[in-house]
Amino acid sequence: VSRDRGAANARVSQYYVAREIITSHPLTGVGINNYVEVMEEYDNTTQRISRGFKFPVHTVYLEYFAETGIVGIVALLSLFFVIIETGIRNIRKSKGFLFNLNAGLLFGFIAYSIHAVSDMNYPSRLTVFAFFAALFTITSLAVRDRITLSDE
């Protein structure tokens, strides 16, 4: 931990700030893009991390939860479930290029989702999730059309 120049301790402090925001605004959060605006109010850490580090918490999920509350995080996790279920369904129904495309999309989405636990990808935060959702929609249509053509 000493070789990370305090980064791990700073992240833990940021998690405490996020927890304070979430417990104070559990249902709807503080509003999208308001995390940085309010974080100093909720910073009870000994080092007052929000004063020297003017960035949101280093995890997409805690930031999103703090900004949108239970309503937003449930919606986001529901979207994840739909994307993963769609990816699995597409893989099962496709062959060749579409199989490879769907497998790559699914595993890419899973890898990005895991990475989002420890990084905020500022400023694009949720853009990548929307990108994956759009790609899965397009490939689902391709898989559906291919199956329809082969069944005729």
Side-chain angles (χ1 to χ4, degrees):
V1 176
S2 63
R3 294 184 306 177
D4 75 348
R5 299 185 188 123
N9 289 332
R11 285 189 182 199
V12 170
S13 294
Q14 287 183 314
Y15 299 156
Y16 284 120
V17 174
R19 184 189 68 190
E20 290 299 315
I21 294 172
I22 292 165
T23 51
S24 296
H25 303 276
L27 190 58
T28 58
V30 293
I32 294 177
N33 293 327
N34 286 330
Y35 187 96
V36 174
E37 302 299 322
V38 302
M39 66 185 186
E40 212 169 311
E41 292 175 46
Y42 298 94
D43 188 349
N44 300 326
T45 62
T46 55
Q47 67 223 78
R48 299 287 186 209
I49 191 71
S50 298
R51 289 184 185 162
F53 193 76
K54 299 288 184 187
F55 295 99
V57 63
H58 262 68
T59 170
V60 170
Y61 306 109
L62 284 179
E63 180 186 1
Y64 198 73
F65 196 172
E67 289 185 344
T68 63
I70 292 170
V71 172
I73 199 70
V74 167
L76 181 67
L77 295 177
S78 297
L79 176 63
F80 284 9
F81 175 76
V82 168
I83 289 172
I84 290 171
E85 191 272 329
T86 300
I88 292 169
R89 187 170 10 101
N90 286 353
I91 288 171
R92 287 182 177 155
K93 292 181 178 181
S94 59
K95 300 181 216 177
F97 174 74
L98 285 176
F99 175 86
N100 294 336
L101 178 64
N102 283 298
L105 282 172
L106 179 60
F107 292 118
F109 177 76
I110 291 169
Y112 183 81
S113 299
I114 293 168
H115 175 71
V117 169
S118 66
D119 197 4
M120 60 184 174
N121 290 321
Y122 191 79
S124 64
R125 293 178 282 236
L126 297 174
T127 306
V128 175
F129 293 123
F131 175 73
F132 275 110
L135 286 178
F136 273 115
T137 302
I138 292 166
T139 57
S140 293
L141 294 172
V143 167
R144 184 198 66 196
D145 290 348
R146 184 175 177 145
I147 290 169
T148 303
L149 290 174
S150 66
D151 289 341
E152 292 181 39

